[in-house]
Amino acid sequence: MRVLITGGAGFIGSHVTRALAAAGHDVSVLDCLHPAAHQPGSDVREVHGVPVRRGDLRDRDTVESALAGVDAVVHQAAMVGMGVDLADLPAYVGNNDLATAVLLAGMARLRVPRLVLAGSMVVYGEGAYACADHGPVRPAPRELADLAVGQFEPRCPHCASLLDPGTVDEDARLDPRSVYAATKLAQEHLTAAWARESGSAAVALRYHNVYGPGMPRDTPYSGVAAIFRSALERGEAPQVYEDGRQRRDFVHVTDVAAANVAALASLDARPPGLRAYNVASGEPRTVADMAATLAAAMDGLAPVVTGAFRAGDVRHVVACPRRARDELGFTAQVPFAAGLAEFATAPLRA
């Protein structure tokens, strides 16, 4: 299959490029080399032997030229992370939503009927919770006043009791709680509309916390694993926000690439429309666990739990990976400790 990978020179995209080429696909890459993911002034010419076409997805001519003769698109390009502040809002909307709209319009005009979208678990907002008295509930966003005094756990909206966190599946209500999250959900909505109206098949892979070789180093757009590793390399202790007990699912980037291969292979047998899948390890860990495991692997200073917080963060997001296993045949293979031991010395992106 002839496959265009947008953002194929980025952290996750480069692993997807390698995996799809290894699976026998004829792969091409379009990437704007955004400075949030690439060193300013970098000029990446190829990724794992695949030539990189540099161009902006917001430009119709660039997109249609890249789409010529393509059978499917694997759309990895996006501006990611929490960012700096609300001044980033136009950049997130432009790079994520406008770019996706231009891509989908081009796919409709050129009749490219298959799409794999790099989604994110941030579309869920908070994960799944239950109250002992009221059963499954959806907590409101955490109050800044509570966070300031160290009350980090969400409370029941009916009785204010502390909640028990559970696993979130793909049918959970979507409730983005940051600018980045809002743009990722908008990408899914735009893709669903394109798929319905064009009679095309699409998959959204909701990545959980991805880590691995090639992550960008310590920037406001990096994942927490890279931020912790950068601190350890400087001889500093990782700074863990809140009380460190917030739960996440850390999934290795090679597993994410394998999920993309499986998703692409599924498209020909799909009816028109969009189907979402969690891409996760299925083994939740706390952020403090991750920091401690990485520090031990690097023989570095023990993490420091700071009590600091960010207003856009959520407390617990833990995935149920059952749908991806049952429908895509995808199960993550890289164990947590082994993955972080490799990550401790793996090359990172400047």
Side-chain angles (χ1 to χ4, degrees):
M1 192 182 300
R2 294 192 64 186
V3 183
L4 172 66
I5 306 177
T6 69
F11 161 46
I12 297 175
S14 61
H15 287 271
V16 173
T17 297
R18 178 165 55 186
L20 288 175
H25 296 287
D26 181 2
V27 176
S28 59
V29 168
L30 175 63
D31 200 304
C32 73
L33 304 182
H34 195 283
H38 298 268
Q39 187 173 9
S42 63
D43 186 20
V44 180
R45 301 295 180 88
E46 65 174 42
V47 175
H48 304 300
V50 176
V52 174
R53 178 194 301 231
R54 185 168 186 174
D56 195 324
L57 276 173
R58 294 169 291 188
D59 180 75
R60 171 177 169 166
D61 291 342
T62 296
V63 167
E64 294 198 354
S65 176
L67 286 172
V70 163
D71 301 308
V73 174
V74 177
H75 184 26
Q76 303 291 318
M79 188 171 172
V80 302
M82 288 290 291
V84 178
D85 54 36
L86 288 176
D88 278 335
L89 203 159
Y92 275 105
V93 173
N95 283 285
N96 296 356
D97 300 338
L98 176 59
T100 298
V102 174
L103 174 66
L104 294 171
M107 292 177 69
R109 283 191 293 271
L110 274 68
R111 301 182 187 278
V112 180
R114 306 172 185 88
L115 176 68
V116 177
L117 171 68
S120 174
M121 58 89 174
V122 295
V123 299
Y124 296 118
E126 287 285 353
Y129 293 88
C131 172
D133 294 326
H134 296 96
V137 296
R138 190 74 178 173
R142 297 180 294 171
E143 297 289 341
L144 292 179
D146 289 337
L147 297 174
V149 297
Q151 174 50 57
F152 301 120
E153 294 292 342
R155 292 185 176 272
C156 176
H158 307 294
C159 66
S161 297
L162 294 178
L163 300 172
D164 293 322
T167 58
V168 64
D169 66 21
E170 293 85 351
D171 293 326
R173 194 182 84 184
L174 305 181
D175 185 18
R177 297 188 176 184
S178 69
V179 169
Y180 170 58
T183 64
K184 294 305 290 184
L185 181 54
Q187 283 186 315
E188 288 198 21
H189 287 325
L190 291 168
T191 299
W194 162 82
R196 285 193 302 269
E197 294 184 28
S198 66
S200 301
V203 164
L205 299 177
R206 292 176 181 162
Y207 302 158
H208 284 250
N209 289 71
V210 186
Y211 72 96
M215 284 188 83
R217 290 186 178 274
D218 190 0
T219 81
Y221 311 96
S222 295
V224 68
I227 292 171
F228 289 164
R229 183 177 141 174
S230 295
L232 289 161
E233 288 179 333
R234 295 191 300 267
E236 302 170 1
Q239 304 292 297
V240 179
Y241 280 15
E242 301 188 15
D243 59 4
R245 296 176 185 169
Q246 55 271 48
R247 297 166 76 235
R248 297 290 188 270
D249 189 305
F250 297 98
V251 59
H252 196 272
V253 67
T254 57
D255 283 326
V256 172
N260 276 271
V261 174
L264 183 63
S266 76
L267 288 177
D268 281 339
R270 289 183 176 277
L274 174 68
R275 183 76 164 161
Y277 296 90
N278 285 326
V279 176
S281 73
E283 298 182 1
R285 304 280 178 163
T286 68
V287 173
D289 283 343
M290 193 274 282
T293 302
L294 184 59
M298 296 180 67
D299 196 23
L301 294 174
V304 173
V305 176
T306 66
F309 61 87
R310 298 185 299 186
D313 281 341
V314 296
R315 182 60 174 173
H316 304 294
V317 188
V318 175
C320 174
R322 185 180 303 112
R323 180 185 290 182
R325 181 196 66 202
D326 293 347
E327 298 184 14
L328 299 180
F330 166 75
T331 302
Q333 300 297 312
V334 180
F336 177 76
L340 283 180
E342 177 216 29
F343 179 66
T345 58
L348 298 185
R349 189 179 299 266

